[in-house]
Each structure stands twice: as structure tokens, then as C-alpha cells.
Amino acid sequence: MSKSQVLIIDDEADIRELLELTLGRMNLETRAAENVDQARHMLAEFKFDLCLTDMRLPDGDGIDIVRHIQEKHPYLPVAVITAHGNMETAIAALKAGAFDFVSKPLDINDLRNLVRSALKVGKSAPPSEQAGVKKLLGESPAMQKVRALIERLARGQAPVYISGESGTGKELAARLIHELGPRADKAFVPVNCGAIPEQLMESEFFGHKKGSFTGAVQDKEGLFKAADGGTLFLDEVGDLPIPMQVKLLRAIQEKSIRAVGTQAEIRVDVRILSATHRDLHELVKAGKFRQDLYYRLNVIELPIPSLRFHPEDIPLLAEQLCAKLTGNLADKAPRLSAEAITALGNYDFPGNVRELENILERALTLCDGSEISEQDLRLPQTQDELGHETNYSGSQSLEGYLEQVEKEAIQNALAQTNQNKTAAAKVLGITFRALRYKLEKLGIE
């Protein structure tokens, strides 16, 4: 089998020599260029499996190389070498399409990990042959655009911020980015940031040493260590308190963590994906989310459209969900009547695909025979149809009226999510802790 070919672009002879020596020991063949012009000629003449380029070159910079490769050789992974601590430059390279970056002074272990991951990407099947992304259903232009972006993002290592309303499938999109990328053989570790008690956050993320605090009866490795070599998905990242945001930013920038109760730092190689149904930009403006962490997480944004913006996908989604809910026996699954499909198409779906699944699960239980009728769906009615007062009339105390409105909203969200408190909190746009407090306050079982 022929050796993989790597193009090295750097104007410093000692850096070129170090890279050639390191890659040679990895059984890779290398060619070296001193500037952008030489690199372009080599890219035209030879076939490479990876390109490593310095950021500062005599006749241009590394981003020029990244853009040229994106245009002429879109499936060639390119990594940039940046000055120590220059995160703005590294982020600009990732936005331009770089696979990843490594900082000077070069850490040989980091470099080797990067090279191994990049070569996996270079040898993987082209996006058109990837079947996994089909798990994100829908043939509308909006969903086709999402799938195409997922395929492209899976080939890099840039942090991705997945935005969208609750129930749109943000975690599914994160899993697909992981499964289609070079880290697929390592762990995908999802964490709901809003469901971790604040006093335990540092221990959950970074681990702890036995005896480091009351209740630490044994060593714990933490989420970063569990995701080492793989992907850490931070769901509802907007719920993180400011002190934890500071520690998370440092872990991401330094690629190292320190467990509670220890002094030694541990290197970790983790790709960060994050999501929230809240508007992070607005949280930054309100001073509730650190701007530097926002820019570090939101290198590339992947917006997931709400179901009401692609209703043409509802019939396909409903068919697939019914098959899933009945044990994938698609030929035996009850079918939706024409009236039921029309009713679903006219409904706004505030809970998106998750709400559609819950509605169909209930309808499958209620339907009699091989067809789901419009009545079986029992779609939520509007407030006016229910006959509730839409304005405060003064017939009860304002506090009592507001509590009643709040109680109904919470009960509706719980019913909509099959009593899943975490999902209900997302629908309501509040944290899990806030929902737990309101359940106790309002006496909701």
C-alpha cells in the first residue's frame, strides 16, 4: 500500500525539518514548500492526502492556502499552524474551511493526533455516499441544506453551534456530525447543561479526586475525559452559570483540564459541539453569557429549521415515526387519513418534531383499526377554542390569575412531552432547575 502524501508549507527551515521528521516517523511521505506560490504549483502537480501550512508566509498567509484548497481540492484536509495564543487567527482559519489548527511551539502529540484524524477524513467516503445523514428526515429545500452542511462540518474539527427551537433535532444533528467524521470510533458524550446542579458542575465536567469534597467517595473522570478522542455535545449551553463558563473556556482553549482536588493538568482531545433553544447572542448582550466563550463555541453555526417552516416534510416524518413507534413494521403500522395529514399540516407544532412524535404515539394508542383519523390526533386547541379568558378580568387576584396561567402552561408542556421534565423545560424556555422550583411552588405532581 502506498504511503499517504503530506504537503508542508512553512518559510522556516527548522519548522519544515521538524515536521518532515515527525511525519516521516509516522510512515508518511512529505513534500515541502516555502511560500504560497510554490504550494500552489505543488498542489497542481501532485496528489496529497493532507496539507499543513504555517499562518504567516512571505507572499500571503495560511488562510489564502485554505481558501485555494477549498476551491480547487475541496476534499483535501488542511490544518494551519498558528502563533501561541492567537485564537482569533485560528478561528478565522476554521471559518474559512480549515480542518483544524495547532499552535506554536508545536506539541508533537497534538500534531500526531491531528494528522491521524485528518488522514481518516481524507480517506473517508465522499458525502454523496454517506448513508448516516439520511437519519435526518425531510426532502424540503430547508432540510436538504441542513444535511449538506452536516456532511461538510463532519469533515472538520471546528466547534459547531447548533441553533433551533426545542424538538427540532439538535442532538440528532450533533450525533450525525460525530458519526460521519473521523472521531466516529470514539465516544459521543451528550450533556444537558441545565440539568446539572451548579455546585456539581466542575466535578461533572472535569472529574474529581476521592476525598476532594464531601460525597467524593471515589475518583471520577468527568465528561471531558470520557469524551477524550471523541465529541462532547453541550446541550442547553446557555444555562451554564458564569463561573463555569470561565472554566469551560479555559479547558477549550488550553485543551487540558484539572480534576477537582488535584494540581496536575491532563491533556484532552475533544471536539466541542453545542446547542441551545435560547438566543445566545441576546444572552451575551444581557451579560448572562461570556462573549469570548460565545465566539469560541460559535465558530460555525448550524441552524435547524422549525417544523412549521417546512410543513411539506410532515407526511414523510409522520410515516417514518409511525413505523418507528410500531416496531418498524411499516406494512402493519396504521396509516394517517387524508384529513389527519391535512390537520397536521395546518398545525404550528410549537414542540416541533418531538411534539409530532408524541402526538402520533398518542394517536396510535387511540386509533381503532388500520387508519389514524383527525380525531385520533387530538391536536391541542387554541386558547379561544377552549373558552379561556384571554385577558385579565379582575374576577380573581392578579397573583392567582398568573399562577393559573403558569400552571396550565406547565401542565400542557408536560402533556406534550409525555411528562419528560427536561423536554418540558425546553418547550417552556426555562431551565430544568427553574421548572423543578415551579412544580414545587404550584403543587404540580
Side-chain angles (χ1 to χ4, degrees):
M1 185 180 291
S2 60
K3 294 181 179 180
S4 295
Q5 305 287 319
V6 182
L7 173 61
I8 296 167
I9 312 167
D10 202 300
D11 60 331
E12 296 182 51
D14 56 341
I15 296 291
R16 291 198 305 272
E17 186 178 348
L18 172 63
L19 291 171
E20 288 177 323
L21 184 63
T22 302
L23 299 183
R25 287 174 176 168
M26 296 177 70
N27 201 30
L28 304 173
E29 287 191 358
T30 60
R31 294 181 186 273
E34 298 180 20
N35 53 47
V36 173
D37 187 54
Q38 279 185 19
R40 288 187 175 184
H41 281 98
M42 286 188 176
L43 285 164
E45 187 175 352
F46 303 104
K47 184 179 183 303
F48 294 100
D49 300 291
L50 170 64
C51 174
L52 284 172
T53 179
D54 192 21
M55 186 55 76
R56 301 182 68 178
L57 297 164
D59 55 344
D61 62 30
I63 293 181
D64 294 332
I65 295 290
V66 172
R67 288 178 179 143
H68 175 78
I69 288 176
Q70 282 287 298
E71 181 183 349
K72 303 290 186 183
H73 314 277
Y75 298 116
L76 171 61
V78 52
V80 296
I81 302 167
T82 66
H84 177 68
N86 196 341
M87 289 305 301
E88 291 80 8
T89 304
I91 289 171
L94 292 172
K95 283 184 180 289
F99 169 81
D100 205 347
F101 69 94
V102 62
S103 299
K104 295 178 180 176
L106 295 175
D107 182 291
I108 299 302
N109 285 329
D110 284 351
L111 178 64
R112 286 175 181 148
N113 287 335
L114 182 152
V115 169
R116 290 189 192 102
S117 292
L119 290 175
K120 282 184 187 177
V121 163
K123 293 176 181 176
S124 63
S128 59
E129 297 175 24
Q130 301 281 19
V133 81
K134 289 297 182 185
K135 293 176 185 174
L136 202 62
L137 296 171
E139 295 305 322
S140 63
M143 292 310 295
Q144 289 180 22
K145 184 178 178 182
V146 168
R147 285 200 297 268
L149 187 51
I150 285 174
E151 289 167 347
R152 184 166 71 82
L153 295 175
R155 298 179 65 82
Q157 296 296 290
V160 178
Y161 168 56
I162 306 170
S163 60
E165 294 178 2
S166 294
T168 49
K170 297 188 291 295
E171 182 172 339
L172 175 58
R175 284 185 182 276
L176 290 174
I177 291 171
H178 170 78
E179 289 171 5
L180 297 176
R183 297 174 178 266
D185 57 341
K186 300 293 185 180
F188 174 85
V189 180
V191 52
N192 185 329
C193 298
I196 305 174
E198 187 171 343
Q199 64 271 25
L200 295 178
M201 277 191 171
E202 188 174 359
S203 167
E204 286 293 315
F205 277 99
F206 308 133
H208 63 247
K209 197 76 175 170
K210 178 181 177 181
S212 55
F213 56 88
T214 304
V217 294
Q218 60 185 21
D219 291 352
K220 181 175 182 175
E221 66 173 12
L223 295 164
F224 266 86
K225 196 73 180 74
D228 196 14
T231 303
L232 181 61
F233 173 52
L234 305 173
D235 197 8
E236 298 307 340
V237 71
D239 291 344
L240 286 173
I242 292 288
M244 191 61 211
Q245 292 176 29
V246 176
K247 291 168 182 173
L248 178 62
L249 176 65
R250 186 184 183 284
I252 294 171
Q253 288 185 337
E254 300 299 325
K255 296 184 178 180
S256 63
I257 57 169
R258 185 170 64 234
V260 177
T262 67
Q263 296 300 316
E265 295 220 325
I266 306 168
R267 299 289 291 175
V268 285
D269 171 30
V270 174
R271 186 180 189 184
I272 300 289
L273 306 179
S274 60
T276 181
H277 72 285
R278 304 171 74 184
D279 188 329
L280 270 192
H281 184 65
E282 288 300 317
L283 290 177
V284 170
K285 288 202 293 186
K288 296 179 180 178
F289 200 86
R290 288 181 63 96
Q291 188 175 50
D292 46 9
L293 178 58
Y294 171 73
Y295 287 126
R296 192 67 189 88
L297 294 174
N298 191 16
V299 173
I300 301 174
E301 183 172 353
L302 172 63
I304 308 294
S306 304
L307 187 53
R308 62 183 170 278
F309 295 134
H310 56 110
E312 61 268 43
D313 288 327
I314 289 174
L316 173 62
L317 283 165
E319 180 185 342
Q320 294 295 320
L321 287 169
C322 281
K324 170 190 167 186
L325 291 166
T326 54
N328 293 317
L329 301 174
D331 56 328
K332 296 181 181 177
R335 303 185 72 82
L336 287 154
S337 68
E339 294 76 16
I341 290 174
T342 300
L344 289 173
N346 292 331
Y347 180 57
D348 266 355
F349 285 102
N352 294 292
V353 179
R354 185 187 294 122
E355 184 181 5
L356 173 60
E357 182 171 2
N358 289 334
I359 286 170
L360 292 173
E361 187 171 14
R362 180 174 63 225
L364 285 166
T365 304
L366 296 173
C367 78
D368 183 19
S370 60
E371 187 175 73
I372 296 173
S373 68
E374 181 180 353
Q375 288 72 34
D376 293 329
L377 296 174
R378 296 198 179 182
L379 293 175
Q381 296 173 306
T382 63
Q383 209 171 31
D384 288 341
E385 288 171 328
L386 289 168
H388 290 170
E389 297 174 355
T390 54
N391 295 305
Y392 176 55
S393 64
S395 59
Q396 65 183 123
S397 72
L398 178 61
E399 186 178 354
Y401 171 76
L402 292 175
E403 279 195 359
Q404 183 61 31
V405 171
E406 192 171 39
K407 190 170 184 177
E408 286 187 20
I410 291 172
Q411 287 172 330
N412 286 339
L414 287 167
Q416 183 180 308
T417 57
N418 277 355
Q419 307 302 315
N420 183 317
K421 293 187 183 72
T422 301
K426 289 183 181 181
V427 170
L428 293 164
I430 61 177
T431 66
F432 178 79
R433 289 190 291 275
L435 175 60
R436 193 165 53 189
Y437 167 76
K438 289 178 184 295
L439 290 172
E440 291 176 5
K441 176 188 171 187
L442 297 170
I444 300 173
E445 291 295 330

